[in-house]
Every structure is written in structure tokens, then in C-alpha cells.
């Protein structure tokens, strides 16, 4: 599938009707989502025929992008039931299969590296400090091949240091810097929309052998 076609399909998905500020719910735009998954597949072969988990999947944009790029199986995980209902509707519209689990990421009791790839646009951690790192910590425990994640560019050094030192990553690489267009979703937003610089990261988890050294 071509990048333009992927972006067009993702652009038609339903998004949050009543976003919840405490969960930092912001839609992952089709522009960023399509490039994130297209890069994961075409540069690293981390999607097609792989088992992919979408952490904090919201309305399913990243996970559905993985299904469109021929992932073997995709699981979307989110704590919010309303978001999962929209994700299920989106999957039906695209006529693809998307497994959905309602769960807080920190309570996900998967044991070992049971998926190939994790994709995620985690909370930035502005409402709940450390929420983004919580997602990253769990992702690097359950993925065997790679974790793709978006984080604010201003946190770059902190993310890299924590991933390599504390979270089981054998490598942490910024693939590109993107502009995240944050629409005015909440009453406290003063401007119509805001551009935030975000990094697209690819983390490679340590193998079991590396982890035990």
C-alpha cells in the first residue's frame, strides 16, 4: 500500500467525540500515523506478518494502520471503553480485524516478549507526570522486535537515557522530528490549534540473553 493511500484511509476514521482530559486524549492525525507505520514497515519490516500491539490505542488509528499494512494480528489496548467502541466501529468500516482489550497499560499482566512490535502515541505526561515513561517501560518488556513511540522533542535526552539505562532497550533512535498539530479540544486551550515538536522513536528491546547478562 502506498503512503498516500494509507493516509487517506486513516483520515476517514472516527475520532474522540468527548475526549477525556485526565487521560490526555488527543487524536493521532492521519499524517503522523501513516508515516509512523509506513516507516516501521518499509524501513525495518516491523509490521507485515507481525503481531503488533497498539498501547493506549484510543480510536485505533495506529493499530488500524498496522492492519492495513498486513500485520498478522493487531491488539489495541486502552483503559477507556468509549474509545474502544469507536475503534471497533473504525475496524468494521475498514473491514479489518482488530483485537481490543480494556486495561490500564501499567496493569497489563503479559509475561515475556509476546508481541513483535508495539506502536504507541502515549500521554505526554503533562496531566499525570511520568505517564509516557510508564507506557515505554511496559512496551519494552513485551515487544521482541521494536517499539515505535512519539514523545515531545524537548524530552529527547531524558527519553534516551531512561530507555537505555532503566527500561531494557538495547538501542534508542530518533527516526525523525514531526510537527504534532494539537487541535483545540478542551476548554482550557486558548489557541485554535498548537504545533508541538515530537520525535518518532524506534526502540529495540534487549533479547532474553542480553537482559540476563
Amino acid at each position: 500500500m502506498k503512503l498516500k493511500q494509507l493516509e487517506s484511509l486513516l483520515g476517514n476514521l472516527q475520532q474522540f467525540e468527548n475526549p477525556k482530559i485526565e487521560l490526555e486524549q488527543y487524536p493521532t492525525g492521519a499524517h503522523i500515523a501513516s508515516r509512523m507505520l509506513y516507516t516501521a514497515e518499509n524501513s525495518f519490516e516491523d509490521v507485515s506478518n507481525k503481531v503488533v500491539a497498539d498501547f493506549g490505542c484510543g480510536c485505533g488509528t495506529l493499530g488500524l494502520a498496522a492492519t492495513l499494512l498486513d500485520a498478522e494480528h493487531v491488539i489495541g489496548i486502552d483503559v477507556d471503553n468509549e474509545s474502544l467502541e469507536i475503534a471497533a466501529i473504525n475496524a468494521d468500516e475498514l473491514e479489518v480485524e482488530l483485537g481490543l482489550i480494556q486495561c490500564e497499560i501499567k496493569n497489563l499482566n503479559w509475561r515475556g516478549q509476546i508481541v513483535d512490535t508495539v506502536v504507541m502515541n502515549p500521554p505526554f505526561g503533562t496531566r499525570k507526570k511520568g505517564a509516557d515513561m510508564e507506557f515505554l517501560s511496559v512496551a519494552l518488556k513485551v515487544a521482541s522486535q521494536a517499539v515505535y513511540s512519539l514523545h515531545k522533542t524537548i524530552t529527547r535526552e531524558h527519553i534516551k537515557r531512561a530507555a537505555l539505562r532503566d527500561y531494557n532497550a538495547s538501542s534508542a533512535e530518533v527516526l525523525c522530528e514531526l510537527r504534532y498539530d494539537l487541535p483545540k479540544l478542551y476548554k482550557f486551550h486558548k489557541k485554535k490549534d498548537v504545533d508541538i515538536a515530537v520525535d518518532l522513536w524506534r526502540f529495540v528491546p534487549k533479547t532474553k540473553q542480553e537482559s540476563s547478562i
Side-chain angles (χ1 to χ4, degrees), residues 147-165:
V147 174
Y148 292 84
S149 188
L150 297 167
H151 298 270
K152 283 183 178 177
T153 299
I154 55 171
T155 64
R156 185 178 293 178
E157 289 309 312
H158 170 61
I159 297 282
K160 184 163 192 170
R161 189 167 55 245
L164 295 173
R165 185 187 62 197

Side-chain angles (χ1 to χ4, degrees), residues 103-121:
C103 181
E104 272 198 75
I105 295 300
K106 67 180 180 183
N107 296 333
L108 193 66
N109 57 357
W110 290 354
R111 293 283 175 266
Q113 298 175 323
I114 66 169
V115 299
D116 299 302
T117 305
V118 173
V119 294
M120 59 185 191
N121 177 14

Side-chain angles (χ1 to χ4, degrees), residues 6 10 13-14 37 54 57 59-70 74 86-92 94-98 119:
L6 180 62
L10 297 180
L13 298 179
Q14 282 190 47
L37 272 295
D54 178 359
C57 66
C59 302
T61 307
L62 296 177
L64 291 166
T67 68
L68 293 168
L69 292 171
D70 299 321
V74 182
I86 298 172
I89 291 166
N90 284 332
D92 286 345
L94 289 173
E95 298 181 345
V96 296
E97 280 194 32
L98 179 66
V119 294

Side-chain angles (χ1 to χ4, degrees), residues 61-205:
T61 307
L62 296 177
L64 291 166
T67 68
L68 293 168
L69 292 171
D70 299 321
E72 181 186 324
H73 185 60
V74 182
I75 308 148
I77 303 150
D78 203 286
V79 70
D80 180 42
N81 194 49
E82 285 179 32
S83 299
L84 293 174
E85 286 174 6
I86 298 172
I89 291 166
N90 284 332
D92 286 345
E93 287 286 318
L94 289 173
E95 298 181 345
V96 296
E97 280 194 32
L98 179 66
L100 295 168
I101 298 172
Q102 185 178 11
C103 181
E104 272 198 75
I105 295 300
K106 67 180 180 183
N107 296 333
L108 193 66
N109 57 357
W110 290 354
R111 293 283 175 266
Q113 298 175 323
I114 66 169
V115 299
D116 299 302
T117 305
V118 173
V119 294
M120 59 185 191
N121 177 14
F124 287 137
T126 48
R127 308 299 290 186
K128 182 189 168 196
K129 194 168 169 54
D132 52 341
M133 305 311 285
E134 209 170 70
F135 273 58
L136 184 58
S137 169
V138 177
L140 281 162
K141 288 187 180 100
V142 303
S144 63
Q145 194 154 319
V147 174
Y148 292 84
S149 188
L150 297 167
H151 298 270
K152 283 183 178 177
T153 299
I154 55 171
T155 64
R156 185 178 293 178
E157 289 309 312
H158 170 61
I159 297 282
K160 184 163 192 170
R161 189 167 55 245
L164 295 173
R165 185 187 62 197
D166 305 325
Y167 296 154
N168 199 42
S170 64
S171 71
E173 180 188 1
V174 174
L175 300 180
C176 60
E177 186 179 316
L178 298 158
R179 306 301 300 182
Y180 192 98
D181 183 27
L182 207 58
K184 184 178 179 180
L185 293 178
Y186 301 108
K187 287 194 177 91
F188 66 84
H189 284 163
K190 300 286 190 288
K191 296 178 182 173
K192 189 179 171 192
D193 52 23
V194 181
D195 256 3
I196 297 175
V198 296
D199 291 335
L200 169 55
W201 285 88
R202 180 178 189 263
F203 304 94
V204 176

